[in-house]
């Protein structure tokens, strides 16, 4: 029961919606199962965090990992999130990331921030919970 409270609290802080929070309460005895998309998102977060450090260090960022194109297919916690707008935001994200890896060192921070803003743009429409965390990836 104590663990369950922790999970509910975590979802409240980082999760996408109240809806999910309720689902966890209803399926009390089951473990919260991470979706393919949530796992992919955490990798995207990690790579972009690393890119921020590399850019601040005057180095070139990581080239785009192949699996990131799975954003178009990964199973979502809420499959109804995947609509035309979602596809548009996914393409936009991949495109802005490409620009980070095909640029000279001068404008890297701006291009990196464009990528992070593309994460935030999609999150505003589908999953507002992690936005404060994603904003930390911006280079100021
Ligand atoms: C096309 C829309 C879209 C884009 C672009 C996007 N996200 Fe997400 N993100 C989502 C959705 C939807 C979820 C919820 C996934 C689920 O629960 O299945 C999510 C979940 C997350 C989570 C929470 C994972 C967890 O612990 O459950 C983090 C963190 C995250 N995204 C970070 C990012 C970062 C960083 C970027 C950019 C590098 C990004 N997202 C780009 C839609 C998007």
């Amino acid at each position: 029961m104590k663990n369950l409270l922790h999970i509910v609290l975590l979802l409240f802080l980082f999760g996408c919606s109240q809806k999910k929070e309720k689902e966890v309460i209803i399926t009390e005895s089951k473990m919260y199962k991470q979706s393919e998309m949530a796992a992919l998102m955490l990798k995207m977060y990690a790579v972009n965090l690393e890119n921020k450090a590399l850019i601040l260090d005057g180095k070139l960022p990581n080239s785009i990992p192949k699996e990131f194109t799975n954003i178009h297919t990964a199973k979502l916690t809420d499959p109804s999130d995947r609509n035309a707008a979602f596809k548009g935001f996914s393409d936009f994200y991949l495109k802005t990331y490409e620009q980070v890896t095909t640029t000279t060192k001068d404008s890297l921070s701006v291009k990196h921030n464009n990528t992070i803003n593309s994460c935030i743009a999609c999150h505003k429409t589908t999953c507002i919970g992690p936005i404060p965390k994603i904003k930390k990836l911006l280079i100021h």
Side-chain angles (χ1 to χ4, degrees), residues 35-49:
S35 70
E36 269 176 38
M37 185 63 96
L40 176 64
M41 288 287 160
L42 293 177
K43 280 182 201 153
M44 284 162 50
Y45 181 87
V47 170
N48 281 282
L49 186 64

Side-chain angles (χ1 to χ4, degrees), residues 9 15-16 20 25-26 31-35 45 48 68-69 82 90 96-97 99 126 131 138:
L9 193 68
C16 298
K20 238 203 238 166
I25 296 167
I26 293 161
M31 277 282 286
Y32 169 66
K33 202 170 171 306
Q34 190 186 48
S35 70
Y45 181 87
N48 281 282
F68 282 14
T69 53
R82 193 180 291 289
S90 304
T96 56
Y97 192 136
Q99 284 165 356
T126 51
I131 291 179
L138 289 166

Side-chain angles (χ1 to χ4, degrees), residues 44-56 59 61-62 93 96-101 103-120 134-140:
M44 284 162 50
Y45 181 87
V47 170
N48 281 282
L49 186 64
E50 210 182 309
N51 283 353
K52 177 179 177 179
L54 286 167
I55 292 166
L56 287 173
K59 298 190 179 124
N62 295 298
Y93 163 66
T96 56
Y97 192 136
E98 241 170 63
Q99 284 165 356
V100 173
T101 60
T103 189
T104 54
K105 278 187 183 173
D106 319 335
S107 49
L108 276 177
S109 329
V110 176
K111 306 246 163 150
H112 171 80
N113 284 349
N114 286 344
T115 307
I116 305 309
N117 283 322
S118 82
C119 310
I120 295 168
I134 298 174
K135 280 193 172 156
K136 295 196 182 127
L137 298 173
L138 289 166
I139 295 174
H140 295 291

